[in-house]
């Protein structure tokens, strides 16, 4: 599934799979949230707006080695963005809108069925 996607999408899939984040939580991640061994999850993107997580509970999740590699490579490929930059911004550098997320889901499903 990851091989059929762009590096941006492949890294997002890694965050969803290896860290178990909800899509809105992954889309709200900033580089400051990624630590050496954990990811801090304290917000989500919903309808293009930053909000609290679904349960309003903030947590840390362990970064498995394959995810650490993917995130490191994505940060380098992204031009080493600043700590307050979204890891997965829209093309405009802003949070994903509902329309952007809805257009991504069918592409993800197609990649899953072809793998």
């Amino acid at each position: 599934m990851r091989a059929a996607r762009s590096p941006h999408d492949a890294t997002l899939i890694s965050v969803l799979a290896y860290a178990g984040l909800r899509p809105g939580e992954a889309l709200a991640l900033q580089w400051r949230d990624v630590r050496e061994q954990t990811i801090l999850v304290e917000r989500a993107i919903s309808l293009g707006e930053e909000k609290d997580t679904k349960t309003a509970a903030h947590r840390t999740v362990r970064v498995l080695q394959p995810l650490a590699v993917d995130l490191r490579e994505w940060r380098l490929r992204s031009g080493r963005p600043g700590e307050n930059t979204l890891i997965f911004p829209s093309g405009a550098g802003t949070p994903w809108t509902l329309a952007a997320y809805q257009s991504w889901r069918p592409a993800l499903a197609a990649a899953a069925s072809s793998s």
Side-chain angles (χ1 to χ4, degrees):
M1 205 161 68
R2 293 181 65 251
R5 306 305 302 157
S6 69
H8 173 277
D9 291 352
T11 307
L12 178 52
I13 291 167
S14 288
V15 169
L16 297 173
Y18 290 123
L21 271 62
R22 294 176 181 94
E25 293 170 339
L27 295 176
L29 287 176
Q30 298 175 3
W31 286 109
R32 68 179 178 196
D33 300 322
V34 178
R35 283 112 187 236
E36 194 167 319
Q37 297 181 9
T38 61
I39 295 174
L40 176 62
V41 182
E42 61 181 2
R43 63 193 159 293
I45 298 295
S46 177
L47 304 174
E49 305 260 334
E50 185 179 298
K51 303 191 182 236
D52 209 343
T53 62
K54 181 178 177 179
T55 62
H58 301 171
R59 67 190 189 284
T60 57
V61 294
R62 203 173 87 132
V63 175
L64 300 175
Q65 184 59 29
L67 178 55
V69 170
D70 289 348
L71 286 168
R72 221 177 359 260
E73 289 175 3
W74 177 240
R75 190 164 196 183
L76 289 173
R77 188 180 277 261
S78 299
R80 298 180 184 186
E83 292 294 308
N84 295 327
T85 303
L86 290 169
I87 296 175
F88 305 108
S90 70
T94 58
W96 285 27
T97 62
L98 176 61
Y101 178 69
Q102 288 174 330
S103 70
W104 184 76
R105 285 178 47 199
L108 179 62
S113 66
S114 68
S115 53

